[in-house]
């Protein structure tokens, strides 16, 4: 009985490697406004260049700014030329640019015109004087929190925080407060896009766990974050509500974890934070 010889099996060809996802540059975000006749692309590019300067990178060349922003060298050069002429930027050696003190007028304009910021500062200062602790008020801006008022008694963080500083929302007490009080569809949209980077071994990096924490925060009315953004830092935050019931800001206490226990934060300081939030809410009416 004859048998038909089997064909040799073709060697399995592995799938081609998936190229790593390229990080989106700030300039790429402008593509969403293509075709909008009212959108000033040149102004947007200038703001992107301004925001590229950080504490870690206070001075940069045109080439470095081009890489960091995703803008062409020619666009960066024009932005810097304009900012330099207006006194907002400059280059001592002719090549490495930095922002100038005049940039502070922009932040001062916001704090002077913002009811939230101007009303919060004296409240925080009064609490700091009475309790000898550091307090802050922040709002949500995109996926970050932004400090709009702050008092510091003792340096409790390695990062030098000030008005205008930004921190990720998912691993900070103030950020979790503001996330917890978003509409459910906005919370889910955030959870679907956020990259939960572990800043410490305590940082929550599970979307499901973060979702559960946000539900508990909304139910309890406060958020306690224990060394998730920085080792040794413990913080407690409560929401500040606008007349329409929306949580427009948050107020928090930051302290040294070895010095202030979680229980002490909840029993001793939580009532003070809630009273301050209620006082601040009056100015938002």
């Amino acid at each position: 009985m004859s048998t038909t010889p089997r064909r040799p099996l073709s060697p399995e060809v592995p799938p081609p490697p998936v190229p790593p996802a390229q990080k989106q540059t700030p300039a790429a975000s402008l593509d969403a406004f293509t075709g909008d006749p009212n959108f000033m692309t040149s102004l947007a590019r200038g703001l992107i260049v301004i925001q590229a300067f950080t504490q870690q990178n206070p001075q940069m060349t045109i080439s470095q700014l081009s890489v960091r922003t995703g803008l062409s060298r020619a666009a960066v050069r024009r932005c810097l030329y304009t900012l330099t002429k207006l006194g907002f930027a400059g280059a001592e050696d002719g090549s490495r640019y930095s922002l100038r003190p005049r940039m502070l007028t922009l932040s001062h304009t916001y704090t002077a015109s913002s009811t939230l910021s101007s009303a919060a500062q004296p409240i925080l200062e009064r609490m700091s004087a009475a309790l000898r602790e550091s307090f802050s008020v922040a709002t949500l801006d995109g996926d970050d929190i932004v400090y709009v008022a702050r008092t510091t008694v003792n340096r409790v963080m390695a990062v030098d925080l000030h008005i205008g500083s930004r921190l990720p929302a998912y691993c900070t007490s103030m950020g979790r407060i503001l996330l917890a009080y978003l509409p459910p569809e906005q919370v889910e949209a955030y959870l679907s896009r956020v990259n939960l980077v572990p800043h410490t071994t305590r940082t929550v990096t599970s979307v499901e766990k973060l979702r559960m924490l946000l539900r508990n925060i909304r139910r309890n009315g406060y958020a306690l974050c224990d060394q998730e953004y920085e080792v040794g830092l413990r913080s407690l935050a409560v929401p500040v509500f606008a007349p329409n019931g929306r949580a427009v800001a948050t107020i928090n206490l930051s302290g040294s974890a070895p010095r202030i226990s979680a229980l002490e934060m909840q029993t001793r300081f939580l009532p003070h934070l809630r009273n301050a939030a209620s006082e601040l809410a009056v100015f938002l009416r």
Side-chain angles (χ1 to χ4, degrees), residues 199-217:
H199 291 272
T200 74
T201 56
R202 292 173 176 258
T203 306
V204 171
T205 56
S206 162
V207 169
E208 199 52 50
K209 185 173 182 180
L210 180 57
R211 182 185 285 112
M212 180 187 68
L213 286 172
L214 295 180
R215 290 171 182 164
N216 290 338
I217 289 167

Side-chain angles (χ1 to χ4, degrees), residues 53-60 97-99:
F53 292 96
T54 64
Q55 186 175 7
Q56 294 74 27
N57 296 281
Q59 293 184 325
M60 284 182 281
Y97 287 83
S98 62
L99 299 180

Side-chain angles (χ1 to χ4, degrees), residues 83-244:
L83 290 170
T84 300
K85 286 296 184 181
L86 295 177
F88 290 106
E92 296 296 341
D93 60 0
S95 62
R96 295 180 63 82
Y97 287 83
S98 62
L99 299 180
R100 290 291 183 257
R102 190 174 186 183
M103 192 63 65
L104 293 171
T105 60
L106 300 180
S107 62
H108 176 71
T109 300
Y110 169 78
T111 54
S113 62
S114 168
T115 301
L116 177 64
S117 181
S118 58
Q121 196 62 41
I123 294 174
L124 299 186
E125 290 173 357
R126 189 173 67 247
M127 279 204 303
S128 285
L131 301 173
R132 305 305 301 167
E133 298 294 344
S134 300
F135 298 92
S136 305
V137 170
T139 59
L140 192 64
D141 182 32
D143 293 345
D144 298 331
I145 59 167
V146 178
Y147 285 75
V148 298
R150 179 165 169 78
T151 59
T152 304
V153 174
N154 297 306
R155 181 77 174 269
V156 295
M157 295 186 70
V159 179
D160 184 19
L161 295 177
H162 49 81
I163 295 175
S165 291
R166 303 175 71 91
L167 292 179
Y170 68 90
C171 58
T172 55
S173 62
M174 292 195 289
R176 286 184 181 171
I177 280 287
L178 295 169
L179 291 173
Y181 285 90
L182 288 175
E185 63 276 9
Q186 292 185 29
V187 173
E188 291 305 316
Y190 171 82
L191 293 175
S192 68
R193 69 175 180 268
V194 67
N195 181 22
L196 302 178
V197 177
H199 291 272
T200 74
T201 56
R202 292 173 176 258
T203 306
V204 171
T205 56
S206 162
V207 169
E208 199 52 50
K209 185 173 182 180
L210 180 57
R211 182 185 285 112
M212 180 187 68
L213 286 172
L214 295 180
R215 290 171 182 164
N216 290 338
I217 289 167
R218 185 155 187 154
R219 180 167 58 249
N220 297 329
Y222 69 88
L224 178 65
C225 222
D226 191 1
Q227 306 180 75
E228 291 194 43
Y229 180 73
E230 183 177 303
V231 174
L233 176 70
R234 184 174 286 137
S235 62
L236 180 73
V238 299
V240 178
F241 294 105
N244 61 4

